[in-house]
Every structure is written in C-alpha cells, then in structure tokens.
Amino acid sequence: MSLADVTPKLQERVSEASGLDATVKFDFGDDGVIHIDGTSQPYQVSNDDNDADCTITMSLDDFKELATGELEPTTAFMMGKLKVSGDISIAMKLSSVIG
C-alpha cells in the first residue's frame, strides 16, 4: 500500500473525527508526508509538506500497522518506531483517528 492509497483512507477517518483543532503532519521520510488540518471544516488531508502543530515521524509500513491495529501507538513510541515533535497532546488525540 502506497502513500496514494493511505491518504484517502485517512481522509475518511479524519472527516468523522472531532476535537482535533490542530494541524498534524505524518512524516514518512522518503515515502512522503500526510498533512491534516484539523482547524478547518471539513478537515483537510493532503500530501503537502506544511508546518504543523505536531509532527509524527515514522515509516509508512509502521503507520500501516498502526492503522490496522497490529501495532499499538504506545509500543511504537517506546520502541522508537514513532517520534513526536511539537505538541504531544495532539498526538494522543490521534489514537481515535488512526486506530
């Protein structure tokens, strides 16, 4: 599954989410980025490399495991598979969006 496959699926999940009220960027390194603007209505999801309140850096493969429930966010963070910069409380809100 490529970034082009993951982005619209995340758009579907984010459109149903509430209370994010922030911008988030998933940085997948050479595989690209997904930027979520949770300050707009409806939420906007793109592959633009914009600044964000919270940036989550991880591999695209690990993200896919998170999205399917094969990898727990806390475990990924503790193992160093997931790094958070910026407002960590925003990252915590994402568990309802991703999982």
Side-chain angles (χ1 to χ4, degrees), residues 21-82:
D21 197 33
T23 55
V24 179
K25 178 169 56 175
F26 288 94
D27 185 345
F28 303 120
D30 292 339
D31 288 319
V33 300
I34 295 177
H35 186 270
I36 302 170
D37 183 351
T39 62
S40 64
Q41 290 295 328
Y43 290 173
Q44 300 297 311
V45 177
S46 71
N47 296 117
D48 298 333
D49 192 4
N50 297 327
D51 290 335
D53 300 317
C54 176
T55 299
I56 299 170
T57 305
M58 63 189 315
S59 74
L60 186 56
D61 288 336
D62 288 337
F63 178 81
K64 292 174 200 171
E65 288 184 15
L66 274 178
T68 60
E70 295 174 43
L71 180 64
E72 292 291 323
T74 305
T75 303
F77 183 79
M78 298 302 274
M79 294 175 66
K81 292 183 171 194
L82 180 153

